Amino acid sequence: MKKIAFLTSGGDSPGMNAAIRAIVKTCLHYNITPFGIYDGYQGMIEGRGKEMTYADVDNIIQYGGTILGTARSADFKTAEGRKRAYEFLNQNQVDGLIVVGGDGTFTGATILSQENNIPIIGLPGTIDNDIYGTEYTIGFDTALNTVIDAVDKIRDTASSHHRIFFVEVMGRDAGFIALHTALASGADSVLIPETITDIPKLVEEIKSHNKGRRSTIIIVAEGDDEGNALDILTKVKPHLDGYDLRHSVLGHIQRGGSPSALDRKIATRMGSYAVELLIQNKTGLTVGVRGEQLTTCQISEAIKEHGAPDLAYLKLIELLRTK
Ligand code: F6P
């Protein structure tokens, strides 16, 4: 291993910079040249990257986003795009590749590796936490803290106005953010894509727990089977005459901001471990974390399976709901 390339791809997540910093510094420690590629696979296709130094990663651990930039590259899904991408790696004599992102990022790396026999390691970087083989993805914890801060604020206005709020959080296909933030913010109900939403039951729940209370908070994952927060509000509204209903979409504020201690720690440990794995000639793996332990999983398995949230959280939220 003389030169290791790395990129961030898909949606950015807080802690990606901590991972980049750890990759660069670990490479330099082992006299390996770290080669950063800009804007994910799109930058690889367009031949944009550079050898990185300590100075490039000084003072970045505390910043959200990714200093390398990211993209969702449609060109990389074509054989022609991947051919150009590999040519760039080849021209630069890259011996191994580390990708930080979600399922789509891992799928892209796997195809590239199969077509060109290049060693790859994947790091789970997404706020959604929906990656198989890890308890936490880089960025999830920061996103949770951003959401609970927002929900606390929404609760102030909801209580002042005696309102029922539907708060929409990210999670196109996964309810991790919704479930964890509902528990941590003391929300009254939560709607996630992994369970079937029953609108008449929700109406009854709202009527029952709103009785005599100043506010009701319902967290809605954007990908819920009955729709987003506005869709849900529209569906329950005809059955909740006399109630003051509002919705609030938290959107991309969930993806930004300074990473939490947990995200900085796991990103740093995972980034450094990815370099060590390549040095040991390991390939086709994703790095994960279980408790305090770093783990690995076959990248093929991580793509095939989908991380599933613990539905015991849902039961606990129901149990704690005021009757
Ligand atoms: O994949 C992370 C994610 O934050 C999803 O939860 C969300 O649906 C999506 O990205 C939004 O992506 P974009 O910024 O491309 O609209």
Side-chain angles (χ1 to χ4, degrees):
M1 263 310 133
K2 292 206 176 68
K3 194 184 264 189
I4 291 178
F6 46 94
L7 55 82
T8 49
S9 165
D12 64 304
S13 64
M16 281 183 163
N17 283 329
I20 293 168
R21 171 181 175 271
I23 293 168
V24 169
K25 291 194 167 197
T26 306
C27 280
L28 293 172
H29 172 82
Y30 289 114
N31 294 318
I32 294 168
T33 305
F35 190 78
I37 295 172
Y38 294 111
D39 300 326
Y41 294 119
Q42 198 56 34
M44 201 190 275
I45 293 170
E46 292 167 9
R48 291 184 288 111
K50 74 158 199 152
E51 291 180 6
M52 297 184 80
T53 64
Y54 283 112
D56 289 315
V57 293
D58 265 350
N59 289 324
I60 65 165
I61 198 167
Q62 69 273 39
Y63 295 119
T66 155
I67 60 159
L68 288 176
T70 185
R72 300 190 199 274
S73 173
D75 294 343
F76 195 72
K77 293 191 174 137
T78 67
E80 174 55 26
R82 287 194 300 277
K83 186 166 162 272
R84 280 172 52 200
Y86 181 68
E87 272 164 19
F88 180 59
L89 294 184
N90 205 18
Q91 274 158 18
N92 284 283
Q93 297 173 313
V94 167
D95 303 307
L97 176 67
I98 299 170
V99 297
V100 190
D103 291 21
T105 305
F106 294 167
T107 304
T110 305
I111 299 171
L112 186 77
S113 166
Q114 283 162 354
E115 288 173 346
N116 304 288
N117 200 23
I118 179 152
I120 47 154
I121 299 290
L123 301 187
T126 164
I127 64 163
D128 291 343
N129 206 44
D130 57 347
I131 305 291
Y132 182 79
T134 188
E135 231 167 59
Y136 281 98
T137 56
I138 298 166
F140 176 57
D141 184 63
T142 308
L144 297 186
N145 285 301
T146 302
V147 171
I148 60 170
D149 181 52
V151 174
D152 289 349
K153 288 171 177 153
I154 288 171
R155 197 185 281 284
D156 289 345
T157 180
S159 307
S160 303
H161 287 266
H162 300 270
R163 281 178 178 162
I164 294 163
F165 259 88
F166 296 83
V167 182
E168 181 179 312
V169 300
M170 277 187 171
R172 241 185 322 216
D173 319 299
F176 284 93
I177 298 178
L179 208 50
H180 285 244
T181 57
L183 191 69
S185 65
D188 303 291
S189 292
V190 56
L191 309 180
I192 55 173
E194 290 84 355
T195 58
I196 294 171
T197 295
D198 180 339
I199 295 290
K201 184 169 164 263
L202 178 65
V203 169
E204 289 318 309
E205 273 172 23
I206 293 172
K207 282 183 182 162
S208 125
H209 63 67
N210 191 258
K211 219 176 272 166
R213 297 184 66 221
R214 302 186 64 90
S215 65
T216 294
I217 304 281
I218 297 131
I219 308 285
V220 183
E222 62 180 334
D224 184 69
D225 55 306
E226 284 289 347
N228 61 25
L230 181 57
D231 296 329
I232 307 279
L233 184 151
T234 310
K235 287 177 185 176
V236 298
K237 200 176 167 58
H239 312 287
L240 289 171
D241 220 18
Y243 289 84
D244 198 0
L245 311 180
R246 290 289 188 280
H247 82 288
S248 179
V249 181
L250 301 187
H252 286 80
I253 63 160
Q254 294 163 91
R255 286 237 296 260
S258 181
S260 67
L262 179 65
D263 280 330
R264 294 180 196 203
K265 275 197 314 176
I266 61 166
T268 299
R269 294 178 68 208
M270 287 177 174
S272 191
Y273 191 42
V275 174
E276 308 249 0
L277 288 170
L278 284 175
I279 292 171
Q280 293 161 22
N281 290 322
K282 301 270 171 58
T283 180
L285 299 174
T286 58
V287 178
V289 64
R290 295 238 166 264
E292 272 299 307
Q293 287 300 312
L294 288 180
T295 57
T296 57
C297 166
Q298 294 295 324
I299 212 165
S300 50
E301 211 180 335
I303 294 165
K304 205 167 63 198
E305 306 290 336
H306 202 252
D310 185 351
L311 296 184
Y313 276 47
L314 200 58
K315 291 224 158 51
L316 184 54
I317 293 160
E318 278 171 17
L319 183 148
L320 298 176
R321 185 164 48 233
T322 310
K323 286 190 181 152

Coordinates of all heavy atoms in Angstrom, one line a residue, residues 166-238:
F166 N -47.0 18.2 14.3 CA -46.4 17.1 13.6 C -45.0 17.5 13.1 O -44.9 18.4 12.3 CB -47.3 16.7 12.4 CG -48.6 16.2 12.8 CD1 -49.7 17.1 13.1 CD2 -48.9 14.9 12.9 CE1 -50.9 16.7 13.5 CE2 -50.1 14.4 13.3 CZ -51.1 15.3 13.6
V167 N -44.0 16.9 13.7 CA -42.6 17.4 13.4 C -42.0 16.3 12.4 O -41.9 15.2 12.8 CB -41.8 17.5 14.6 CG1 -40.4 18.0 14.3 CG2 -42.4 18.4 15.6
E168 N -41.7 16.8 11.2 CA -41.1 15.9 10.2 C -39.6 15.8 10.3 O -38.9 16.9 10.3 CB -41.5 16.3 8.8 CG -41.0 15.4 7.7 CD -41.5 15.8 6.4 OE1 -42.7 16.1 6.2 OE2 -40.7 15.9 5.5
V169 N -39.1 14.6 10.4 CA -37.6 14.4 10.4 C -37.2 13.6 9.2 O -38.0 13.0 8.6 CB -37.1 13.8 11.7 CG1 -37.5 14.6 13.0 CG2 -37.7 12.3 11.9
M170 N -35.9 13.6 8.9 CA -35.4 12.9 7.8 C -35.5 11.4 8.0 O -35.5 10.9 9.1 CB -34.0 13.3 7.4 CG -33.9 14.6 6.6 SD -32.3 14.9 6.0 CE -32.7 16.3 4.8
G171 N -35.4 10.7 6.9 CA -35.5 9.2 6.9 C -36.4 8.8 5.8 O -37.6 8.5 6.0
R172 N -35.9 8.8 4.6 CA -36.7 8.4 3.4 C -37.2 6.9 3.5 O -38.3 6.6 3.3 CB -35.8 8.4 2.2 CG -36.2 9.4 1.2 CD -35.3 9.3 -0.1 NE -33.9 9.1 0.3 CZ -32.9 9.6 -0.4 NH1 -33.2 10.4 -1.4 NH2 -31.7 9.4 -0.1
D173 N -36.3 6.1 4.0 CA -36.6 4.6 4.1 C -36.5 4.1 5.5 O -36.7 2.9 5.7 CB -35.7 3.8 3.2 CG -35.4 4.4 1.8 OD1 -36.4 4.6 1.1 OD2 -34.2 4.7 1.5
A174 N -36.0 4.9 6.4 CA -35.7 4.4 7.7 C -36.2 5.3 8.8 O -36.2 6.5 8.7 CB -34.2 4.2 7.8
G175 N -36.6 4.6 9.9 CA -37.2 5.4 11.0 C -36.3 5.6 12.2 O -36.7 6.0 13.3
F176 N -35.0 5.4 12.0 CA -34.0 5.6 13.1 C -34.1 6.9 13.8 O -34.2 7.1 15.0 CB -32.6 5.3 12.7 CG -32.2 3.9 12.5 CD1 -32.4 3.3 11.3 CD2 -31.8 3.1 13.6 CE1 -32.0 1.9 11.1 CE2 -31.5 1.8 13.4 CZ -31.6 1.2 12.2
I177 N -34.0 8.0 12.9 CA -33.9 9.3 13.5 C -35.3 9.6 14.2 O -35.3 10.1 15.4 CB -33.7 10.4 12.4 CG1 -32.3 10.2 11.8 CG2 -33.8 11.8 13.0 CD1 -32.0 11.1 10.6
A178 N -36.4 9.2 13.6 CA -37.7 9.5 14.2 C -37.8 8.8 15.6 O -38.2 9.4 16.6 CB -38.8 9.1 13.3
L179 N -37.5 7.5 15.6 CA -37.7 6.7 16.8 C -36.8 7.1 17.9 O -37.3 7.3 19.0 CB -37.3 5.2 16.4 CG -38.0 4.1 17.1 CD1 -39.5 4.3 17.2 CD2 -37.7 2.8 16.5
H180 N -35.6 7.4 17.6 CA -34.6 7.8 18.7 C -34.9 9.2 19.2 O -34.8 9.5 20.4 CB -33.2 7.7 18.2 CG -32.7 6.3 18.1 ND1 -31.6 5.8 18.9 CD2 -33.1 5.3 17.3 CE1 -31.4 4.6 18.6 NE2 -32.3 4.2 17.6
T181 N -35.3 10.1 18.3 CA -35.6 11.4 18.8 C -37.0 11.5 19.5 O -37.1 12.3 20.4 CB -35.6 12.5 17.6 OG1 -36.5 12.1 16.6 CG2 -34.2 12.6 17.0
A182 N -37.9 10.7 19.1 CA -39.2 10.7 19.8 C -39.0 10.2 21.2 O -39.5 10.9 22.1 CB -40.1 9.7 19.1
L183 N -38.1 9.2 21.4 CA -37.9 8.8 22.8 C -37.1 9.9 23.6 O -37.5 10.2 24.7 CB -37.0 7.5 22.7 CG -36.9 6.8 24.1 CD1 -38.2 6.2 24.5 CD2 -35.8 5.7 23.9
A184 N -36.1 10.5 22.9 CA -35.2 11.4 23.6 C -35.9 12.8 23.8 O -35.4 13.6 24.7 CB -33.9 11.6 22.9
S185 N -36.9 13.1 23.1 CA -37.6 14.4 23.3 C -38.9 14.3 24.0 O -39.6 15.3 24.2 CB -37.8 15.1 21.9 OG -38.8 14.3 21.2
G186 N -39.2 13.0 24.4 CA -40.5 12.8 25.1 C -41.7 13.1 24.3 O -42.8 13.5 24.7
A187 N -41.6 12.7 23.0 CA -42.8 12.9 22.1 C -43.9 11.9 22.4 O -43.6 10.9 23.1 CB -42.3 12.7 20.6
D188 N -45.1 12.3 22.0 CA -46.2 11.4 22.4 C -46.5 10.3 21.4 O -47.0 9.3 21.8 CB -47.5 12.4 22.5 CG -47.2 13.5 23.4 OD1 -47.1 13.2 24.6 OD2 -47.0 14.6 23.0
S189 N -46.1 10.5 20.1 CA -46.3 9.4 19.1 C -45.2 9.6 18.1 O -44.6 10.6 18.0 CB -47.6 9.6 18.4 OG -48.7 9.3 19.2
V190 N -45.0 8.5 17.4 CA -43.9 8.5 16.3 C -44.4 7.6 15.2 O -45.0 6.5 15.4 CB -42.6 8.0 16.9 CG1 -42.6 6.7 17.5 CG2 -41.5 8.1 15.8
L191 N -44.2 8.1 14.0 CA -44.6 7.4 12.8 C -43.4 7.1 11.9 O -42.7 8.0 11.6 CB -45.6 8.2 12.0 CG -46.8 8.7 12.8 CD1 -47.7 9.5 11.8 CD2 -47.6 7.6 13.4
I192 N -43.2 5.8 11.6 CA -42.0 5.4 10.9 C -42.3 4.5 9.7 O -43.3 3.8 9.8 CB -40.9 4.7 11.8 CG1 -41.6 3.5 12.6 CG2 -40.4 5.7 12.9 CD1 -40.6 2.7 13.4
P193 N -41.4 4.4 8.7 CA -41.7 3.6 7.6 C -41.7 2.1 7.9 O -42.4 1.3 7.1 CB -40.5 3.9 6.6 CG -39.8 5.0 7.1 CD -40.2 5.2 8.6
E194 N -41.1 1.7 8.9 CA -41.0 0.2 9.2 C -42.3 -0.3 9.8 O -42.5 -1.6 9.9 CB -39.9 -0.1 10.2 CG -38.5 0.1 9.7 CD -38.0 1.6 9.7 OE1 -38.8 2.5 10.1 OE2 -36.8 1.8 9.4
T195 N -43.3 0.5 10.2 CA -44.5 0.0 10.7 C -45.7 0.6 10.0 O -45.5 1.7 9.4 CB -44.7 0.4 12.2 OG1 -44.6 1.8 12.4 CG2 -43.6 -0.3 13.1
I196 N -46.8 0.0 10.0 CA -48.0 0.5 9.3 C -48.7 1.5 10.1 O -49.0 1.3 11.3 CB -48.9 -0.7 8.9 CG1 -48.2 -1.6 7.9 CG2 -50.2 -0.1 8.3 CD1 -48.9 -2.8 7.5
T197 N -48.9 2.7 9.5 CA -49.6 3.8 10.3 C -51.1 3.6 10.1 O -51.6 3.4 9.0 CB -49.1 5.1 9.7 OG1 -47.7 5.2 10.0 CG2 -49.8 6.3 10.4
D198 N -51.7 3.7 11.3 CA -53.2 3.5 11.3 C -53.8 4.9 11.6 O -53.7 5.3 12.8 CB -53.5 2.4 12.3 CG -55.0 2.1 12.5 OD1 -55.8 3.0 12.1 OD2 -55.3 1.1 13.0
I199 N -54.3 5.6 10.6 CA -54.8 6.9 10.9 C -55.9 7.0 11.9 O -55.8 7.8 12.8 CB -55.2 7.6 9.5 CG1 -54.0 7.8 8.6 CG2 -55.9 8.9 9.7 CD1 -53.0 8.8 9.0
P200 N -57.0 6.2 11.8 CA -58.0 6.2 12.9 C -57.5 6.0 14.3 O -57.9 6.7 15.2 CB -59.0 5.1 12.5 CG -58.8 4.9 11.1 CD -57.4 5.2 10.8
K201 N -56.5 5.1 14.4 CA -55.9 4.8 15.7 C -55.1 6.1 16.2 O -55.2 6.5 17.4 CB -55.0 3.6 15.6 CG -54.3 3.2 16.9 CD -53.7 1.8 16.7 CE -52.7 1.5 17.9 NZ -51.3 1.9 17.7
L202 N -54.4 6.7 15.2 CA -53.6 7.9 15.6 C -54.6 9.0 16.1 O -54.3 9.7 17.1 CB -52.9 8.4 14.3 CG -52.0 9.7 14.5 CD1 -50.9 9.5 15.6 CD2 -51.4 10.1 13.2
V203 N -55.7 9.2 15.4 CA -56.7 10.2 15.8 C -57.1 9.9 17.3 O -57.2 10.8 18.1 CB -57.9 10.2 14.9 CG1 -59.1 11.0 15.4 CG2 -57.5 10.7 13.5
E204 N -57.4 8.7 17.6 CA -57.9 8.3 19.0 C -56.8 8.6 20.0 O -57.0 9.1 21.0 CB -58.3 6.8 19.0 CG -59.7 6.6 18.3 CD -60.7 7.7 18.6 OE1 -60.9 8.0 19.8 OE2 -61.3 8.2 17.6
E205 N -55.5 8.2 19.6 CA -54.4 8.5 20.5 C -54.2 10.0 20.8 O -54.1 10.4 21.9 CB -53.1 8.1 19.8 CG -52.7 6.6 19.9 CD -51.5 6.2 19.1 OE1 -50.7 7.1 18.7 OE2 -51.4 5.0 18.7
I206 N -54.4 10.8 19.7 CA -54.2 12.2 19.9 C -55.3 12.8 20.9 O -55.0 13.5 21.8 CB -54.2 13.0 18.6 CG1 -53.0 12.6 17.7 CG2 -54.3 14.5 18.7 CD1 -53.0 13.1 16.3
K207 N -56.5 12.3 20.6 CA -57.7 12.8 21.5 C -57.4 12.4 22.9 O -57.6 13.2 23.8 CB -59.0 12.2 21.0 CG -59.5 12.9 19.7 CD -60.9 12.2 19.4 CE -61.4 12.8 18.1 NZ -62.5 12.0 17.5
S208 N -57.0 11.2 23.1 CA -56.8 10.7 24.5 C -55.6 11.4 25.2 O -55.8 11.8 26.3 CB -56.7 9.2 24.5 OG -55.6 8.7 25.1
H209 N -54.5 11.5 24.5 CA -53.4 12.0 25.3 C -53.3 13.6 25.3 O -52.6 14.2 26.0 CB -52.0 11.4 25.0 CG -51.5 11.6 23.6 ND1 -51.1 12.7 23.1 CD2 -51.3 10.6 22.7 CE1 -50.7 12.5 21.9 NE2 -50.8 11.3 21.6
N210 N -54.1 14.2 24.4 CA -54.1 15.6 24.4 C -55.1 16.2 25.5 O -55.0 17.4 25.9 CB -54.5 16.2 23.1 CG -54.3 17.7 23.0 OD1 -55.2 18.5 23.0 ND2 -53.1 18.1 22.8
K211 N -55.9 15.3 26.0 CA -56.9 15.7 27.0 C -56.3 16.4 28.2 O -55.4 15.7 28.9 CB -57.7 14.5 27.5 CG -59.2 14.8 27.7 CD -59.9 13.5 28.0 CE -60.4 12.8 26.8 NZ -60.8 11.4 27.0
G212 N -56.6 17.6 28.5 CA -56.0 18.3 29.7 C -54.6 18.6 29.6 O -54.0 19.0 30.6
R213 N -54.0 18.5 28.4 CA -52.6 18.8 28.3 C -52.4 20.0 27.4 O -53.2 20.3 26.6 CB -51.8 17.6 27.7 CG -51.9 16.4 28.6 CD -51.1 15.2 28.1 NE -49.7 15.5 28.1 CZ -48.9 15.2 27.1 NH1 -49.3 14.5 26.1 NH2 -47.6 15.5 27.2
R214 N -51.2 20.6 27.5 CA -51.0 21.9 26.8 C -50.5 21.6 25.4 O -50.6 22.5 24.5 CB -50.0 22.7 27.6 CG -50.4 23.1 29.0 CD -49.5 24.1 29.6 NE -49.5 25.3 28.9 CZ -50.3 26.3 29.2 NH1 -51.1 26.2 30.2 NH2 -50.2 27.5 28.5
S215 N -49.9 20.5 25.2 CA -49.3 20.2 23.8 C -49.3 18.7 23.5 O -49.3 17.9 24.4 CB -47.9 20.8 23.7 OG -47.1 20.1 24.6
T216 N -49.2 18.4 22.2 CA -48.9 17.0 21.8 C -47.9 17.1 20.7 O -48.0 17.9 19.8 CB -50.2 16.4 21.3 OG1 -51.1 16.2 22.4 CG2 -50.0 15.0 20.7
I217 N -46.9 16.3 20.8 CA -45.8 16.2 19.7 C -45.8 14.9 19.1 O -45.7 13.8 19.8 CB -44.4 16.5 20.3 CG1 -44.4 17.8 21.1 CG2 -43.4 16.5 19.3 CD1 -44.3 19.1 20.3
I218 N -45.9 14.9 17.8 CA -45.9 13.6 17.0 C -44.7 13.7 16.0 O -44.6 14.7 15.2 CB -47.2 13.4 16.2 CG1 -48.3 13.2 17.2 CG2 -47.1 12.1 15.3 CD1 -49.5 14.1 16.9
I219 N -43.7 12.8 16.1 CA -42.6 12.8 15.2 C -42.9 12.0 14.0 O -43.4 10.8 14.2 CB -41.3 12.3 15.9 CG1 -41.0 13.0 17.3 CG2 -40.1 12.4 15.0 CD1 -40.5 14.4 17.2
V220 N -42.7 12.5 12.8 CA -43.0 11.8 11.6 C -41.8 11.6 10.8 O -41.2 12.6 10.4 CB -44.1 12.6 10.8 CG1 -44.5 11.8 9.5 CG2 -45.3 12.9 11.6
A221 N -41.4 10.4 10.4 CA -40.3 10.2 9.5 C -40.8 10.5 8.1 O -41.9 10.2 7.8 CB -39.9 8.7 9.5
E222 N -40.0 11.2 7.3 CA -40.5 11.7 6.0 C -41.0 10.6 5.1 O -41.8 10.9 4.3 CB -39.3 12.5 5.3 CG -38.1 11.7 5.0 CD -37.0 12.4 4.3 OE1 -37.3 13.4 3.6 OE2 -35.9 12.0 4.4
G223 N -40.5 9.4 5.3 CA -40.9 8.3 4.5 C -41.9 7.4 5.0 O -42.1 6.3 4.6
D224 N -42.7 7.9 6.0 CA -43.8 7.1 6.6 C -44.8 6.6 5.5 O -45.0 7.3 4.5 CB -44.6 7.9 7.6 CG -45.6 7.0 8.3 OD1 -45.2 6.1 9.0 OD2 -46.8 7.2 8.0
D225 N -45.3 5.4 5.7 CA -46.2 4.9 4.6 C -47.5 5.7 4.4 O -48.1 5.7 3.3 CB -46.6 3.4 5.0 CG -47.3 3.3 6.3 OD1 -46.6 3.7 7.3 OD2 -48.4 2.8 6.4
E226 N -47.9 6.5 5.3 CA -49.1 7.4 5.1 C -48.7 8.8 4.6 O -49.5 9.7 4.5 CB -49.9 7.5 6.4 CG -50.8 6.3 6.7 CD -51.9 6.1 5.7 OE1 -52.3 7.0 5.0 OE2 -52.5 5.0 5.8
G227 N -47.4 9.0 4.4 CA -46.9 10.3 3.8 C -46.1 11.1 4.8 O -45.8 10.6 5.9
N228 N -45.8 12.3 4.4 CA -45.0 13.2 5.3 C -45.9 13.9 6.3 O -47.1 13.6 6.4 CB -44.2 14.2 4.4 CG -45.1 15.1 3.6 OD1 -46.2 15.3 4.0 ND2 -44.6 15.6 2.5
A229 N -45.3 14.8 7.1 CA -46.0 15.4 8.2 C -47.2 16.2 7.7 O -48.3 16.1 8.4 CB -45.1 16.3 9.0
L230 N -47.1 16.9 6.6 CA -48.3 17.6 6.1 C -49.4 16.6 5.6 O -50.6 16.9 5.9 CB -47.9 18.6 5.0 CG -49.0 19.4 4.4 CD1 -49.7 20.3 5.4 CD2 -48.4 20.3 3.3
D231 N -49.0 15.6 5.0 CA -49.9 14.5 4.6 C -50.7 14.0 5.8 O -51.9 13.8 5.7 CB -49.3 13.4 3.8 CG -48.5 13.8 2.6 OD1 -49.0 14.7 1.9 OD2 -47.5 13.1 2.2
I232 N -50.0 13.7 6.8 CA -50.6 13.1 8.0 C -51.6 14.1 8.6 O -52.7 13.8 9.0 CB -49.5 12.7 9.0 CG1 -48.5 11.7 8.4 CG2 -50.2 12.0 10.3 CD1 -48.8 10.3 8.3
L233 N -51.1 15.3 8.7 CA -51.9 16.4 9.3 C -53.2 16.5 8.5 O -54.3 16.6 9.1 CB -51.2 17.7 9.3 CG -51.9 18.9 10.0 CD1 -50.8 19.9 10.6 CD2 -52.8 19.7 9.0
T234 N -53.1 16.5 7.2 CA -54.3 16.6 6.3 C -55.2 15.5 6.5 O -56.4 15.6 6.5 CB -53.8 16.7 4.8 OG1 -52.8 17.7 4.8 CG2 -54.9 17.1 3.9
K235 N -54.7 14.3 6.8 CA -55.5 13.1 6.9 C -56.3 13.1 8.3 O -57.4 12.6 8.4 CB -54.7 11.8 6.8 CG -54.3 11.6 5.3 CD -53.5 10.3 5.2 CE -53.0 10.2 3.7 NZ -52.1 9.1 3.4
V236 N -55.6 13.6 9.3 CA -56.3 13.5 10.7 C -57.2 14.7 10.9 O -58.1 14.7 11.7 CB -55.3 13.4 11.8 CG1 -54.5 12.1 11.7 CG2 -54.3 14.6 11.9
K237 N -56.9 15.8 10.2 CA -57.6 17.1 10.5 C -59.1 17.0 10.5 O -59.8 17.5 11.4 CB -57.1 18.2 9.4 CG -57.4 19.6 9.8 CD -56.8 20.5 8.8 CE -57.2 21.9 8.9 NZ -56.9 22.6 10.2
P238 N -59.8 16.3 9.5 CA -61.2 16.3 9.5 C -61.8 15.6 10.7 O -63.0 15.8 11.0 CB -61.5 15.4 8.2 CG -60.3 15.4 7.4 CD -59.1 15.7 8.3

